[in-house]
Amino acid sequence: MLVSMFYTSCQFVCPMLIDALQDTERQLSPSEREHLGVLVVSFDPAHDSVAVLKHTADERSVDAARWSLARTDAPTVRKLAGVL
């Protein structure tokens, strides 16, 4: 499982982060890729609604079978950021 955080209104680093995760995914063998999960959680739950995350996933062509773009409430975002 690859886990990271981002926000959809980020113009520079976050798109590069998604590119890096996709590049890592491409470097795996098919059998390794089969066991991969990618979770990317938004830092900005007030802006990044489910619809916005879905649009971003579609726009970035992430594999919905392995990737989850997620959101949570602000207190949980802070806790998750602290753990990561």
Side-chain angles (χ1 to χ4, degrees):
M1 176 67 68
L2 299 175
V3 179
S4 190
M5 298 186 78
F6 84 129
Y7 56 101
T8 61
S9 60
C10 171
Q11 299 289 319
F12 302 104
V13 174
C14 297
M16 290 177 8
L17 171 70
I18 299 229
D19 290 343
L21 290 167
Q22 287 176 317
D23 186 49
T24 299
E25 182 179 35
R26 279 190 293 274
Q27 291 180 39
L28 298 174
S29 70
S31 67
E32 290 170 324
R33 215 173 301 132
E34 207 174 279
H35 295 92
L36 176 69
V38 181
L39 173 63
V40 187
V41 181
S42 172
F43 276 115
D44 187 8
H47 176 265
D48 290 339
S49 66
V50 171
V52 169
L53 294 172
K54 169 81 170 99
H55 173 77
T56 300
D58 292 344
E59 184 177 75
R60 302 296 299 179
S61 300
V62 300
D63 183 347
R66 287 190 293 278
W67 283 65
S68 295
L69 275 62
R71 62 187 300 277
T72 187
D73 58 33
T76 305
V77 165
R78 285 189 293 278
K79 288 178 189 175
L80 181 58
V83 169
L84 293 175

